[in-house]
Amino acid sequence: NNNINPRTTLDSINFGVNSGNETNAWDFICFSMNISCLVIIIFCVLICSKIIAGEQAGGTMKLLAIRPFTRSKILGGKLLATMFFSMIFIAFSFIINFALGWAKFGLPGQMMIGVFNGTSVIYSHPIVFCIFLLLSLFIKTFVYVSIATMISVIFRSYTGSSMVSFGIVIVTLILNGVLATKSW
């Protein structure tokens, strides 16, 4: 009735999808955060591969293992450090994208209609959608960082673990793009 298009903030990267008649700051934030998160995931996969497999290949993991810490504490600490690092990057990216979107497009005061999972429709303020977007990006990054850490422990090779982790990221991106258009 108000000429507002439904916007799904948890979609994959969409070109040309607006929440209203024209692009606004909230559209810019959603689009640019998806791209930023992809870059952050790739960077964090490299760090996860290096932080464990690189230490095992270099022999410094043995120096950590002789300390009075269990292996699970050492690996858990490395996982938490990488997660904290990625969350700082996502938060910093959100602040920058918010500032750029505000400067370029301005902040409209209109409410947004969001469709989640193709079934639930929510009519809310855009900040609520940005919070959902941030939470979904944190979860997405956590999954990829956890998988990269696990693969790094298994492979014990920086090159092998980073290639398999990148392969998983690329395959999931392709599957998300292909399967997003299918109706289940």
Side-chain angles (χ1 to χ4, degrees), residues 24-112:
N24 57 36
W26 307 114
D27 299 327
F28 176 79
I29 290 168
C30 290
F31 178 74
S32 61
M33 282 303 295
N34 281 319
I35 293 174
S36 299
C37 186
L38 179 64
V39 172
I40 291 169
I41 285 172
I42 290 172
F43 190 63
C44 287
V45 162
L46 278 176
I47 289 174
C48 284
S49 297
K50 185 66 174 175
I51 201 168
I52 295 174
E55 284 192 9
Q56 287 177 348
T60 56
M61 187 63 85
K62 293 178 185 175
L63 295 174
L64 286 174
I66 63 172
R67 303 283 181 218
F69 301 114
T70 62
R71 182 175 290 227
S72 62
K73 281 188 179 181
I74 293 171
L75 295 177
K78 291 182 180 295
L79 176 65
L80 287 176
T82 309
M83 281 309 305
F84 181 73
F85 184 71
S86 65
M87 286 185 189
I88 294 292
F89 267 168
I90 290 174
F92 185 68
S93 175
F94 178 76
I95 291 169
I96 288 176
N97 289 325
F98 182 81
L100 288 174
W102 189 4
K104 173 109 173 116
F105 300 106
L107 294 177
Q110 71 182 16
M111 303 292 271
M112 289 176 64

Side-chain angles (χ1 to χ4, degrees), residues 3-4 8 11 26 32 35 44-45 55 125 127 137 141-142 149:
N3 203 17
I4 300 173
T8 304
D11 269 352
W26 307 114
S32 61
I35 293 174
C44 287
V45 162
E55 284 192 9
H125 197 272
I127 291 176
L137 294 178
T141 306
F142 177 73
T149 303

Side-chain angles (χ1 to χ4, degrees), residues 108-124:
Q110 71 182 16
M111 303 292 271
M112 289 176 64
I113 297 174
V115 180
F116 293 100
N117 294 331
T119 57
S120 303
V121 177
I122 299 173
Y123 183 71
S124 184

